[in-house]
Amino acid sequence: EVQLVESGGGLVQPGGSLRLSCVASGFAFGDYRMDWVRQAPGKGLEWLSYINNGGDSIHYADSVKGRFTISRDNAKNSLYLQMNSLRDEDTAVYYCARDDYDTTAPFDYWGQGTPVTVSS
Amino acid sequence: QAGLTQPPSVSKGLRQTATLTCTGNSNNVGFQGAVWLQQHQGHPPKLLSYRNNNRPSRISERFSASTSGNTASLTISGLQPEDEADYYCSAWDSGLSAYVFGAGTKVTVL
């Protein structure tokens, strides 16, 4: 069974940093692209970043470019999102999602999400 | 980044058919089509459809998708109470090198 489990969310002050983690199981993690997607309270889904299976192709949404960094450790079946210079508008639930774009579809499996609140 | 356009809400009666639309451009929906996601309140999204009416095995045949030009559509036939949810479309935008989402359509089953 494919499972994605996010962690690392919490309350942080504006300008602060957080590192989110997503641990994968039930599939060959190193064979898949991965994405981070967030959802602000009462709002829709917003794609943040993508990383290919080898970690050498990365893309970001303009809203987080230069502040967020995606990375992965295939040996640990883990995906990360380093978030710096956090703003009030970064408050959201952050999801990791598996991306099988080349074969089937992006976003075919999602974690339960980890909430991030940016507030003083 | 510009998103895809979805109507904010659709309301239909029990066992009726609802059709949701998602309009983009030649760089995204018109490029390789859209995926559709369903999200119930308080839960993560779930993939419904990809690459023009391909469905994961766990998804009911009542959900069908299609694309015409720059507009993708999701049809939900025989609406059931459990179909009340938010529905999102998404596509890779080759011009932006980014995924774009629609703002979502809230489906209400009357």
Side-chain angles (χ1 to χ4, degrees), chain A:
Chain A
E1 178 192 5
V2 172
Q3 282 198 317
L4 299 169
V5 180
E6 302 95 336
S7 63
L11 175 64
V12 61
Q13 291 188 339
S17 297
L18 276 178
R19 189 194 195 208
L20 306 184
S21 299
C22 168
V23 177
S25 60
F27 67 100
F29 179 74
D31 289 348
Y32 288 84
R33 301 152 54 137
M34 296 294 295
D35 296 89
W36 285 100
V37 177
R38 71 183 177 187
Q39 187 168 35
K43 302 296 185 183
L45 301 171
E46 178 187 14
W47 173 80
L48 299 179
S49 184
Y50 142 89
I51 186 168
N52 74 339
N53 58 332
D56 57 352
S57 179
I58 287 171
H59 297 279
Y60 295 101
D62 288 345
S63 60
V64 303
K65 199 173 296 183
R67 300 189 300 125
F68 290 11
T69 302
I70 192 172
S71 63
R72 65 189 297 160
D73 185 338
N74 289 342
K76 294 183 178 180
N77 289 344
S78 293
L79 175 73
Y80 306 102
L81 186 67
Q82 177 66 43
M83 305 188 297
N84 298 331
S85 303
L86 283 162
R87 307 165 179 167
D88 291 350
E89 56 264 34
D90 294 319
T91 293
V93 175
Y94 286 72
Y95 296 102
C96 64
R98 196 177 80 167
D99 187 337
D100 197 17
Y101 180 88
D102 292 333
T103 305
T104 53
F107 316 131
D108 60 348
Y109 286 92
W110 295 67
Q112 289 297 310
T114 186
V116 171
T117 301
V118 183
S119 175
S120 54

Side-chain angles (χ1 to χ4, degrees), chain B residues 24-41:
Chain B
N25 59 43
S26 58
N27 286 331
N28 43 60
V29 175
F31 177 53
Q32 282 197 333
V35 299
W36 287 92
L37 302 155
Q38 177 192 59
Q39 186 180 32
H40 288 103
Q41 182 72 26

